[in-house]
Amino acid sequence: MRCYAFSKIISLDDLVLTERPDPVPGPRDILLRMRAAALNFRDLAIVRGHYHVDVSPPLVPVSDGAGEVIQIGSEVTRFRIGDLVCPTYLPEWIDGPIRPWNVRRRLGGPSDGVLSELMCLHEDEAVRAPRHLDAAEAAQLPVAAATAWHSLFQLGSVRPGETVLIQGSGGISTIALQLAHAAGARTIMVTRNDRHTDALRALGADDVLSNGAAENWPHDLLNLTGQRGAEISVNVAGGSTLTRSIAATRMGGLVHLVGYAAGTIADLDIFTAIRHATTIHVATAGNRENLEDLVRAAERHKIRPVIANLFRLKQIRDAFAFLAKGGHLGKVGLILDF
Ligand SMILES: NC(=O)c1ccc[n+]([C@@H]2O[C@H](COP(=O)([O-])OP(=O)(O)OC[C@H]3O[C@@H](n4cnc5c(N)ncnc54)[C@H](OP(=O)(O)O)[C@@H]3O)[C@@H](O)[C@H]2O)c1
């Protein structure tokens, strides 16, 4: 089988088409023909050599994908041939709280990822894709959507009528918006320009603040919420933006610190945090159960992940450059046309 792999160093210059032996499924394994993939910010962080987990070559990159089951072992019960499934990003985290032993393996680094013609997985390490989605859409879900789900519905619990403030318009932000909207929340987006305002409204945003680069946007949020603030905020950028998310969250509210798009060191004004008595939750992706719950919710509410751009495999470097440039709405997809 063919796959893309970093052979000697972790660099896009060393991402080469490689031949490996076809995997042979054991009794509880499924063999997938991979159809599509999605890039995440972590894939970019890994090639930039700036990720919080050590990864080393040889490595098949990219965490998110979807593939068709083409062979099953004799004891497999969860899947049938022909099913469209998504490998789980953290294969050993099935349910319950996160523990050191269930995050040892991570697809796309340090473990091999999805840029492969074939993938052989234990049947416990995959989730059936939503029936209304094609492979390119399903491939967007495992990291971003499961992280959003884990934050909004496991670490926290969004209730109908609550205000959820979501920063950004990228992969995590758009699916968090769709999920919070489906849960009956009032959703307010804060972005750094007005390019995607109409699209965010079409996805369910009740209000969009497009002055997210300005210092004082929390005042506008407070004005929109009768000076109360959001019950729940999702912060995807970290850096200097965390304190502003806290300032825009009501007293006793919850901030989900999910990402570091603006920097891995966050400025935290402790007086603001104390004044707001804020709880800050930090998520590491989600577990299989989160992804399964999400699949049911996506089917029920006909949620389709937003794909900003879909690249062919031979355009893989363009896809990384597109993600790095930023300013996109939703996620960056790849068709695995080996
Ligand atoms: N904790 C986890 O397990 C987990 C899982 C998935 C992702 N993440 C992290 O979450 C972050 C977002 O991921 P993603 O997939 O949504 O990435 P993405 O699609 O590239 O989107 C990046 C987002 O960050 C915002 N942004 C970038 N720089 C900013 C700044 N200086 N100030 C304010 N906003 C800024 C952008 O907002 P605009 O719309 O304003 O441009 C955009 O929405 C990344 O850091 C990623 O590593 C963490």
Side-chain angles (χ1 to χ4, degrees):
M1 67 165 194
R2 285 166 297 175
C3 60
Y4 274 88
F6 300 120
S7 64
K8 296 196 175 60
I9 52 168
I10 304 286
S11 156
L12 282 180
D13 295 334
D14 189 43
L15 184 60
V16 288
L17 193 58
T18 309
E19 196 66 46
R20 289 191 181 177
D22 284 2
V24 179
R28 292 206 54 204
D29 291 343
I30 57 175
L31 186 65
L32 307 182
R33 183 167 299 285
M34 298 306 292
R35 299 290 186 203
L39 293 186
N40 284 289
F41 206 86
R42 77 181 297 272
D43 302 312
L44 199 55
I46 286 171
V47 297
R48 286 171 170 167
H50 189 52
Y51 191 59
H52 60 89
V53 174
D54 286 339
V55 299
S56 54
L59 175 75
V60 177
V62 181
S63 313
D64 275 349
E68 185 188 333
V69 178
I70 56 169
Q71 196 180 333
I72 58 174
S74 56
E75 295 169 22
V76 166
T77 57
R78 282 169 49 80
F79 300 105
R80 283 188 251 173
I81 288 174
D83 284 351
L84 181 65
V85 306
C86 298
T88 48
Y89 160 57
L90 298 170
E92 289 166 282
W93 191 17
I94 304 293
D95 56 16
I98 194 160
R99 293 284 183 255
W101 52 88
N102 54 31
V103 295
R104 280 175 305 209
R105 287 170 54 215
R106 297 167 183 254
L107 298 194
S111 314
D112 276 340
V114 303
L115 287 194
S116 202
E117 262 182 310
L118 301 174
M119 276 187 86
C120 186
L121 311 168
H122 189 281
E123 62 169 332
D124 285 342
E125 299 174 357
V127 168
R128 175 181 66 75
R131 295 189 202 288
H132 66 300
L133 300 186
D134 63 23
E137 292 171 315
Q140 314 301 317
L141 297 177
V143 172
T147 303
W149 184 278
H150 186 74
S151 297
L152 293 174
F153 304 110
Q154 181 159 335
L155 296 177
S157 58
V158 175
R159 285 178 296 186
E162 284 187 330
T163 298
V164 178
L165 165 68
I166 300 166
Q167 180 187 42
S169 53
I172 289 262
S173 312
T174 48
I175 193 72
L177 163 61
Q178 291 169 295
L179 295 175
H181 174 68
R186 176 188 180 191
T187 51
I188 304 180
M189 305 300 288
V190 56
T191 63
R192 291 171 302 162
N193 60 64
D194 59 7
R195 185 182 315 154
H196 302 309
T197 299
D198 292 345
L200 291 169
R201 284 188 185 279
L203 289 171
D206 293 289
D207 292 287
V208 181
L209 296 173
S210 57
N211 61 342
E215 282 282 320
N216 62 348
W217 68 259
H219 292 287
D220 297 334
L221 186 288
L222 291 174
N223 286 338
L224 280 175
T225 57
Q227 304 307 312
R228 183 177 159 89
E231 272 81 15
I232 295 166
S233 294
V234 178
N235 181 295
V236 300
S240 61
T241 74
L242 178 60
T243 299
R244 277 173 249 154
S245 288
I246 293 171
T249 306
R250 74 145 202 223
M251 183 176 274
L254 191 57
V255 173
H256 293 292
L257 174 57
V258 172
Y260 48 88
T264 55
I265 307 292
D267 296 339
L268 174 60
D269 176 4
I270 297 173
F271 271 1
T272 304
I274 290 176
R275 205 177 299 123
H276 287 253
T278 309
T279 300
I280 301 175
H281 277 163
V282 182
T284 294
N287 57 37
R288 192 187 85 192
E289 188 178 53
N290 297 147
L291 193 53
E292 289 166 334
D293 289 348
L294 165 83
V295 166
R296 276 192 295 275
E299 287 175 340
R300 171 79 182 84
H301 295 279
K302 295 286 174 279
I303 292 172
R304 311 192 90 92
V306 179
I307 304 179
N309 213 338
L310 200 51
F311 291 85
R312 312 253 327 252
L313 204 37
K314 65 181 180 195
Q315 300 171 298
I316 178 86
R317 288 173 183 76
D318 298 333
F320 271 93
F322 182 84
L323 179 67
K325 187 160 151 276
H328 51 276
L329 177 80
K331 291 199 54 77
V332 179
L334 283 168
I335 297 295
L336 298 186
D337 51 352
F338 281 94

